Each structure stands twice: as C-alpha cells, then as structure tokens.
Amino acid sequence: MQKSPWIIHYDGSSCNGCDIEVLAALTPMYDVERFGVINTGNPKHADIFLITGSVNEQNKAVIKNIYDQMPNPKVVMAVGICACTGGIFRECYNVLGGPDKVIPVDLYVPGCAARPESIIDGVVKALELWEGKRRKRTGRESIQT
Amino acid sequence: MRTIIPFGPQHPVLPEPIHLDLVVEDETVVDVIPSIGFIHRGLEKLVEKKDFQEFVYVAERICGICSFIHGMTYCHGVEQLMKIEVPPRAHYLRTVWSELSRIHSHLLWLGLIADAFGFESLFMHSWRLREKVLDIIEATTGGRVIFGSCKIGGVRRDIENGTLREIAAKLRDYAVEYKDLGNVFLNDLTVKRRLCGVGVLSGPDALGLGSVGPMLRASGVAQDMRLLKYAAYGGIDFAPVTAEEGDSYARCAVRIGEIFQSVEIIRQCSEKIPGGAIEIKVTGLPEGEFYARTEQPRGEVIYYIKANGTKNLERLRVRTPTFANIPPMLKIMTGCQLADVPVLVLTIDPCISCTER
Amino acid sequence: MIESQDFRETTPERLIGEVQGMRDAGYRLVQIGATRTEGFEINYSFDRNLEFVNFKIRLADNTEAIPSISGVYWSAFLYENELHDLFGLNIKNIHIDYQGHFYRVARPAAFAEKPPPPKIKRAVKPTAGTEVKET
Ligand code: SF4
C-alpha cells in the first residue's frame, strides 16, 4: 500500500444501517484508521467516495456535486444492497436505485447491512483500483515525483 | 449584520443529510429554517405492493439503528388489529431485544455527541463499548444492525434461559465500564462546559412543541410509552428516567440513566421469562385501524395501520421520534451560538432516515 | 386490546375549535397524517399522559381548503407541509409555508394517487467488479 486513502462518506437515502457500519469500521474494534484510512468531511481531500443508500431525487445533485469536487484519480464505492441495486426499496416511487444512476461506480459491496469486514475488504480493493487509475493517468510506476 | 449560513446536507459533523439555513447575526443564530427530503424514499407506499406479513422486513429497514423496535411496532399494530395473542415468551424476548437496541443506540449517540464537541477519544471509547453489545445481538439474532427476528405472531428465534442469564451477567460487568464512561460525560469539566445550560427547553415548551422521548424527559416530563405495557413491559418494574434542567447536559444524563435502566430490565426479563412457544400461527387478514405506539431510544414512534381485510394494508403511516423533535430543536437553536449548533442538532439524537421514510 | 383509543370525527369548520380545546386541556400534538381512501381522510392525534385521542376529517378530494392548526400548535407546520407535498392537500395559512419545497420528490403528491395495478419489471444492472468508464 503506497498511500493512505481518505474516504468521504455520503448517505444517499440509506436506512442508516450501512452508515453506522461504515463508522463502526473506523472505530477500535475494526479500526481501519490503523491503515491510515480517515473519514474526511471534505470532498477535496478524499480519494474514495463511499455512498450508502438507494439515492433519491433530492440528493442526486448533492452526489454529483461531491463527485465533481473530488480530485482525480477517484474511486466510487457503493455500500449495501440498497446502493448496489436499490434493494428492498427498489419499488419505492422516489428512489433511483443506486448511485450508478448518477455517477460511475467502480465497486459494489453487497450486504444488508454490509458488514464492516466486507467494507474493509471493499476499501482494500478500491485502493488497488485507485492505484491502477493513477498509473493510467500519470504513466508513472511509483507515487513519488 | 445578518448572514445566512447553509448547514448540510453533507457536513463533517452530520452523520446524515439534513439541511438547515442558519440566519446568524454576528455569532448568534437568530433563525433556523430546516429543509428535509434527502432520504425520502416513499416506503409507506410500499404497503400497496408487499403483503402485510412481508412488510415486516421493510419496516425494519426504516431505520438501521432502532430497526428491531420498528419491526416490533409494526408487528404489534397488526397483531392488535387481528387480535392475535402473542405467547408470553415471545413478548419477553422482544423486550430483551428492544432493550439491547436501546443500549447500543444510546452508546452510539454518546459517541456522536462526543465527536460533535470535539472529544474524539471519547467517541472511540463509546463505540468500543457498543461493539460488545452488538456481539450479544449478533450471537442471538445473527445480524448486527438488522435483526430480522420479529414476525407477526411472535419471534423467529429463541434465546435459551441459560444464555439469557449469561447475557444479563455480561451486561452487569459491562455496566461497570458504562459507569466510567458516564462519569466522563457527567463530571468532566470541559465536557460540562459544552453541555451545561446549552439549549434549555422548559417543560411546558417541550410539551407544547410536541417533543418526545429523552428530549421530553430531560425537561422534567415523565412520559415513556413503555408505560403502555406493550410487549412484556407490564410485568417489569421500572420508572421513566427524568431530569429537570432541560439543557443538553440533562439530555445526556437521561440517556446515560436509561442505559443502566435497560441493563436492569434485561436482568428482570432473564429471571421472569416464562417457558412455552415463541410464535403462533397467523390466520386471517387484518381489518380496522389502530395506532401502535412504542418507545424507541429516540422517543415515541407511531405506526398508524389501516387495513381493509385484504393482504395489502390500505395505509401505513409512520411518525418517528425525530420528526416530532424537530420543532423543539428549532426552538433551542434560536438564540444559540453558531459553535453550539452541531451539539444542539445532536442532542435531539437525530435519525433522519426514519424521519423522512 | 391493551390501549383504548378514542376516535372522533370532525369537520374542517369545527377543526380549529376542537384543536384549541385540546391545547387548553393540556394535550400534546402527536401527529397529523392523511390517508387516501375514496376521498381523503386526515387524522389529528393528541396525547395526554398516555391517553390517546384522534380526530378525523373526511374530504371528497384534495382541492378542498382546510384551515391550518399551526396557529394553535406551532409544531404543526411540519406535518402540514408534509401533507401538502405528499398528498397535495390544500392547507390554508400555514405558519411557515414551504409552498411545496419541503420534500422534493420525483412525483409530486404521489400519495394522492390510487394504488396502481402491480407490475414487476427489473432494471438491467452492471455486474459487480466491472470497470466503469470515467467521465
Ligand atoms: S443495504 Fe440494508 S442496511 Fe444498508 S442502507 Fe440499505 S436497507 Fe439499510
């Protein structure tokens, strides 16, 4: 691992179950902070965009906005079955059925609620993807300039 | 000079999206206008598509923190309409799981409020203790946040009497740690300076604005829906935890008091639980209308269930505690300092996803 | 039934008077909610020390004007804006009127529609792990 990935988390109309699992992954029991993963509130500092929930009409614009503000390269992760397919709420009239309707999503972490273990696994996978994207953009092997 | 500061929906201290327009004059907030709808899914309309037994799963997913109590309230409402006598053992098991949810929810809140006033190690500490409760929940239901153990006519899983007593003993040990944690919140000088006298809500105001749960009890009104004796609460000896001051400190104290109360209720359940079946077969279809009211960690939740004798309910309306607590939140925020806004938003223990459903 | 629930009927004209009476008697406003039946039903619920009272208004359709009770219970404005946005009900003189901007929804007043006949259609989804082109 060459870089400590920073995460921005946005709740796109989830039921909270996945959000608290994302937070739980950061706290002492699972402690992803030991890998240098920090949950930041600022999109401009973030490498990984973690979205939970099935996304509705009103937060479409918010998600797009956060995504556009993040610097390249960036990885988007959909956490929970709601964010993957719409899940149990798919038939609700006000949901779009996941962030992939608004922005490109690179990684899907299923589960209702997604367990902290799988979220951590997802973040590790996201790092690989991020590394690949970085190489493609810069054409350099290592992160050093 | 008047400025309008938009607050949210994506904000470092907010775990969930809500948007507030804060009208500030220098550092003082003079007016607050909320706007919601970021999480509105319209799931009440799903009753038209899912049958009434299946809907328990949706009800549980209204909110991932009080998920069990949501499912239970829904079941309770439908059972009342269909006049189903749930076996007493199921009632006791429901009570145990509700109280476990309450403990984990309050610990979660303590962590979040610590984060809001900038005490990060305290946040980590509360969440560390919360994980142990989640372990008990996982061992008894299989899920960490969504239990899936309640159904119409009873519960899906049993907990053996021996295990129940073990859980009660474990919680008694954990209570020692909760005491230490509570001590920091209630006696630490810096914490007190962030909480004492901030956001005072008087008793009559709290009632007039329709607040519920710890918000109401912290203003000296002893109302607790558990006194309605749903589930097994009729056979359990407890009294609502209250405080008089009505400030953020009092709300914190009430929630800490309720953690110990829940530990005690679980102990009583482990001793009083009767044997027998845990579910009963459900026949027939619901008809009529009923308001199911139960106490969630955040306060009173209302399920209005109207059924017309078909397998789909005619209408389900959920009024969650946070919705009722928004007006009092606006009230305590007018006149506060801008720096206190995150703390005040958190003292109502907001759960936006259930507010907007 | 473990709890006695008091259901009463009223009309839009008598509403404010009834609600004022509840307020004077020290009741707490519990909720306001609506139901789509053949017409519409609006329920106003109150509670005093666990004693539950519910008032119901029946309307033929959602263009009929209903007075706002936010003058009596200030906190009612949230419920009333919600009813306006989700059911398209016509509530007059709300204390803080969002004019339909309280909830921003894909279909306004969706709850006012009659339940549609069930149809099940699945959307095509990308499979997990596939590379998605960056925009
Ligand atoms: S996947 Fe399940 S737990 Fe996660 S937000 Fe959706 S309903 Fe809630």
Side-chain angles (χ1 to χ4, degrees):
Chain A
M1 211 184 281
Q2 289 203 17
K3 192 176 180 279
S4 297
W6 282 19
I7 287 178
I8 182 166
H9 164 228
Y10 183 72
D11 172 342
S13 57
S14 90
C15 83
N16 251 345
C18 287
D19 303 303
I20 55 173
E21 293 295 64
V22 169
L23 276 183
L26 294 164
T27 53
M29 178 81 177
Y30 295 96
D31 200 11
V32 290
E33 288 201 353
R34 70 201 143 132
F35 303 126
V37 178
I38 288 180
N39 185 9
T40 160
N42 188 341
K44 297 201 167 99
H45 295 167
D47 307 298
I48 299 175
F49 186 12
L50 210 152
I51 312 175
T52 52
S54 42
V55 180
N56 69 11
E57 209 48 41
Q58 190 157 356
N59 53 34
K60 210 157 87 181
V62 182
I63 287 177
K64 195 130 196 340
N65 211 335
I66 296 175
Y67 181 79
D68 289 342
Q69 286 183 30
M70 283 170 65
N72 270 318
K74 51 194 161 193
V75 175
V76 179
M77 222 173 122
V79 174
I81 202 69
C82 280
C84 298
T85 67
I88 196 162
F89 303 123
R90 194 183 52 225
E91 291 167 275
C92 290
Y93 76 95
N94 203 35
V95 309
L96 294 174
D100 56 9
K101 298 279 166 358
V102 189
I103 55 172
V105 173
D106 304 271
L107 227 110
Y108 298 85
V109 179
C112 180
R115 296 184 58 90
E117 290 91 342
S118 37
I119 296 174
I120 296 173
D121 199 32
V123 172
V124 173
K125 290 249 159 59
L127 258 188
E128 280 165 25
L129 275 178
W130 185 90
E131 185 59 31
K133 285 192 178 183
R134 185 194 62 75
R135 284 200 187 146
K136 229 165 75 196
R137 281 185 74 82
T138 61
R140 276 198 301 271
E141 270 307 298
S142 131
I143 202 160
Q144 266 80 37
T145 43
Chain B
M1 201 184 78
R2 277 190 180 219
T3 328
I4 297 180
I5 300 185
F7 183 78
Q10 197 273 330
H11 187 277
V13 303
L14 286 177
E16 290 173 89
I18 180 169
H19 179 86
L20 301 171
D21 282 311
L22 306 168
V23 184
V24 293
E25 215 162 80
D26 296 333
E27 281 287 295
T28 313
V29 179
V30 290
D31 202 4
V32 193
I33 300 151
S35 65
I36 63 170
F38 291 96
I39 315 211
H40 179 69
R41 290 155 287 188
L43 57 83
E44 287 168 351
K45 242 181 129 51
L46 267 191
V47 287
E48 291 160 6
K49 295 185 181 146
K50 302 215 185 277
D51 83 38
F52 75 99
Q53 301 217 15
E54 207 181 10
F55 197 80
V56 184
Y57 298 110
V58 184
E60 280 207 308
R61 283 162 179 82
I62 289 180
C63 165
I65 304 176
C66 1
S67 62
F68 181 79
I69 309 187
H70 270 294
M72 183 182 83
T73 314
Y74 174 77
C75 293
H76 169 68
V78 175
E79 283 155 5
Q80 292 287 323
L81 277 185
M82 299 174 72
K83 309 218 165 30
I84 298 173
E85 280 294 333
V86 178
R89 188 172 177 86
H91 273 324
Y92 272 86
L93 290 172
R94 285 182 180 180
T95 310
V96 169
W97 278 316
S98 309
E99 293 308 317
L100 284 171
S101 315
R102 197 177 315 276
I103 300 176
H104 105 69
S105 171
H106 282 344
L107 286 171
L108 175 137
W109 178 81
L110 285 173
L112 291 179
I113 185 95
D115 199 37
F117 56 62
F119 200 150
E120 201 175 338
S121 53
L122 199 54
F123 160 68
M124 292 291 180
H125 204 63
S126 315
W127 281 57
R128 183 182 64 80
L129 293 176
R130 176 176 165 265
E131 285 292 333
K132 296 189 180 171
V133 183
L134 289 188
D135 285 346
I136 298 181
I137 292 174
E138 190 174 359
T140 50
T141 67
R144 278 166 54 89
V145 290
I146 308 277
F147 304 1
S149 54
C150 206
K151 67 181 216 173
I152 293 171
V155 291
R156 277 202 184 80
R157 289 182 192 82
D158 201 355
I159 313 180
E160 286 182 7
N161 288 351
T163 319
L164 261 180
R165 278 193 297 274
E166 264 170 43
I167 291 173
K170 256 193 208 160
L171 284 172
R172 203 177 52 232
D173 295 343
Y174 297 164
V176 180
E177 292 188 67
Y178 301 156
K179 247 213 167 72
D180 289 342
L181 185 77
N183 220 349
V184 180
F185 278 99
L186 299 179
N187 297 323
D188 187 277
L189 186 70
T190 42
V191 175
K192 273 171 103 170
R193 297 202 47 164
R194 286 306 302 272
L195 298 179
C196 284
V198 175
V200 181
L201 187 70
S202 70
D205 269 356
L207 268 179
L209 292 172
S211 53
V212 294
M215 191 88 182
L216 187 57
R217 292 195 284 277
S219 298
V221 184
Q223 264 198 25
D224 191 325
M225 288 304 134
R226 286 177 286 178
L227 295 173
L228 281 173
K229 304 189 179 18
Y230 63 91
Y233 289 107
I236 280 165
D237 190 23
F238 75 100
V241 180
T242 56
E244 290 304 322
E245 299 81 6
D247 58 357
S248 304
Y249 180 81
R251 294 194 270 279
C252 194
V254 165
R255 291 194 176 102
I256 291 173
E258 287 186 1
I259 296 179
F260 296 110
Q261 184 189 42
S262 300
V263 172
E264 168 61 18
I265 292 178
I266 294 174
R267 188 194 61 77
Q268 290 188 23
C269 285
S270 74
E271 282 166 6
K272 293 185 184 162
I273 190 164
I278 57 163
E279 56 172 305
I280 118 172
K281 204 165 169 316
V282 176
T283 47
L285 294 164
E287 190 162 11
E289 53 184 333
F290 186 71
Y291 282 92
R293 306 196 289 160
T294 61
E295 185 78 14
Q296 278 184 342
R298 288 161 185 73
E300 167 204 50
V301 64
I302 306 257
Y303 270 63
Y304 170 63
I305 297 169
K306 186 174 160 85
N308 51 6
T310 58
K311 73 183 196 353
N312 292 91
L313 298 180
E314 195 175 355
R315 168 86 167 125
L316 173 82
R317 158 151 172 85
V318 186
R319 200 280 278 131
T320 55
T322 308
F323 201 97
N325 276 336
I326 289 177
M329 175 185 87
L330 303 181
K331 160 95 177 98
I332 58 178
M333 270 166 72
T334 34
C336 79
Q337 293 296 302
L338 187 58
D340 284 331
V341 167
V343 174
L344 290 180
V345 172
L346 274 163
T347 54
I348 71 161
D349 200 352
C351 174
I352 309 301
S353 69
C354 54
T355 306
E356 303 168 4
R357 308 163 307 274
Chain C
M1 223 167 260
I2 54 165
E3 191 192 340
S4 67
Q5 300 191 331
D6 187 353
F7 287 89
R8 304 180 195 168
E9 302 259 337
T10 184
T11 58
E13 296 78 52
R14 283 190 295 149
L15 179 70
I16 298 281
E18 304 259 28
V19 171
Q20 185 67 50
M22 297 311 273
R23 167 108 210 190
D24 295 343
Y27 279 82
R28 169 171 67 88
L29 175 69
V30 169
Q31 67 103 25
I32 307 175
T35 308
R36 177 70 163 138
T37 49
E38 279 314 304
F40 287 85
E41 283 175 4
I42 312 179
N43 291 306
Y44 295 79
S45 319
F46 302 90
D47 168 282
R48 184 177 67 185
N49 295 327
L50 305 182
E51 179 196 319
F52 188 84
V53 181
N54 186 70
F55 284 98
K56 181 177 282 180
I57 299 183
R58 289 178 207 276
L59 300 173
D61 70 84
N62 59 3
T63 51
E64 256 179 75
I66 311 137
S68 161
I69 63 160
S70 58
V72 186
Y73 284 95
W74 184 76
S75 54
F77 77 92
L78 284 179
Y79 299 109
E80 290 177 341
N81 279 299
E82 183 185 70
L83 291 184
H84 173 266
D85 289 4
L86 299 185
F87 284 87
L89 290 169
N90 177 11
I91 300 174
K92 288 271 177 286
N93 303 326
I94 309 180
H95 198 66
I96 303 176
D97 196 342
Y98 284 77
Q99 320 265 356
H101 293 292
F102 191 52
Y103 281 96
R104 219 168 300 148
V105 286
R107 292 209 315 265
F111 281 77
E113 292 161 19
K114 291 268 176 66
K119 69 164 193 284
I120 295 150
K121 216 173 82 203
R122 278 169 196 261
V124 188
K125 296 277 165 182
T127 22
T130 45
E131 181 67 31
V132 181
K133 259 204 255 95
E134 199 157 327
T135 46

